[in-house]
Amino acid sequence: MLPLLEPEVVPCCPPLAERPLTAEEAERTAVMFKALGDPVRLRLFSAVASHEGGEACVCDISDVGVSQPTVSHHLKKLKEAGLLSSERRGTWVYYRVEPAVLAAMGQLLTKAAGA
Amino acid sequence: MLPLLEPEVVPCCPPLAERPLTAEEAERTAVMFKALGDPVRLRLFSAVASHEGGEACVCDISDVGVSQPTVSHHLKKLKEAGLLSSERRGTWVYYRVEPAVLAAMGQLLTKAAGA
């Protein structure tokens, strides 16, 4: 039986406007925002999210003006932040967005905005 | 007649899963994510957002374990990123979340997650 793979970072925390985050909650959540706080990573993330079938390999998204090793480096960072999952198939590693993590981040902000 | 003050950074861009962001869109949007990508700034932001009346001065949120000048520095960064607006009243500068900016950021993510 295959174990269910959990993303390495699990979203936490109430909407930002509900109460002040604790230090620990802020540490966990800042990791995810920081991962999207770089223009190249944000473009790559958007390229994966908008790619056909919701997944992409480095071979699919090499048109952002940086080298393939740099693309791989940034995709790994996004994965470490829990925003992407990955699966090796043959030669390539395919990346996919983690919808639950993104939805949780979106709610942190949207509910904060409504307050 | 008083001019309407626009936030310095205006949110742009379609949901991240709709199409790859352009370089310019990614530059503009990454600034906002980066501002929330620091644990202390994220706690301060949450402290402002959850404070009574939706606004706070440095005097209200000095309990995150950093000095008052550091708090002021981080609040200024959040303002520069367009996430907070500010108003001086007497001795203190009061900060308030920019709901439209946050809602736009939330939608970038939430719609990306649903794709």
Side-chain angles (χ1 to χ4, degrees):
Chain A
M1 201 173 104
L2 288 173
L4 280 175
L5 293 177
E6 298 281 338
E8 285 159 39
V9 178
V10 176
C12 73
C13 314
L16 294 175
E18 195 171 298
R19 59 162 173 77
L21 294 187
T22 66
E24 197 228 345
E25 288 170 341
E27 287 284 348
R28 289 173 65 185
T29 306
V31 167
M32 297 184 266
F33 285 118
K34 190 175 179 184
L36 295 179
D38 175 273
V40 174
R41 270 203 300 277
L42 192 57
R43 282 188 82 188
L44 290 170
F45 181 81
S46 171
V48 171
S50 63
H51 200 262
E52 206 182 322
E55 65 171 18
C57 64
V58 173
C59 55
D60 291 322
I61 48 173
S62 48
D63 58 347
V64 298
V66 293
S67 70
Q68 192 166 302
T70 302
V71 172
S72 293
H73 169 78
H74 282 305
L75 291 176
K76 204 169 150 233
K77 290 274 178 193
L78 288 164
K79 187 189 168 184
E80 285 167 3
L83 298 173
L84 296 178
S85 56
S86 71
E87 188 190 348
R88 177 172 286 279
R89 293 206 296 275
T91 311
W92 297 102
V93 177
Y94 287 81
Y95 289 89
R96 173 174 284 282
V97 296
E98 283 287 343
V101 176
L102 282 183
M105 286 178 76
Q107 288 212 334
L108 277 178
L109 297 169
T110 310
K111 293 199 178 162
Chain B
M1 200 172 100
L2 288 173
L4 280 175
L5 293 177
E6 298 281 338
E8 287 159 39
V9 177
V10 177
C12 73
C13 313
L16 295 175
E18 195 171 298
R19 60 163 173 76
L21 295 186
T22 66
E24 197 228 345
E25 289 170 340
E27 288 284 348
R28 290 174 66 185
T29 307
V31 167
M32 297 184 264
F33 285 117
K34 190 175 178 183
L36 295 179
D38 175 272
V40 174
R41 271 202 300 278
L42 191 57
R43 283 188 81 187
L44 290 171
F45 180 83
S46 171
V48 172
S50 63
H51 200 262
E52 206 181 322
E55 66 172 17
C57 64
V58 173
C59 56
D60 291 322
I61 48 173
S62 49
D63 59 344
V64 298
V66 294
S67 70
Q68 193 166 301
T70 303
V71 172
S72 292
H73 168 78
H74 282 304
L75 291 175
K76 203 169 152 232
K77 290 274 177 193
L78 288 164
K79 187 188 169 186
E80 285 166 4
L83 299 173
L84 296 179
S85 56
S86 71
E87 187 191 347
R88 177 173 287 279
R89 293 207 296 274
T91 312
W92 296 104
V93 178
Y94 286 81
Y95 289 89
R96 172 174 285 282
V97 297
E98 282 289 343
V101 176
L102 281 184
M105 285 178 76
Q107 287 212 334
L108 276 178
L109 297 170
T110 311
K111 292 198 178 162

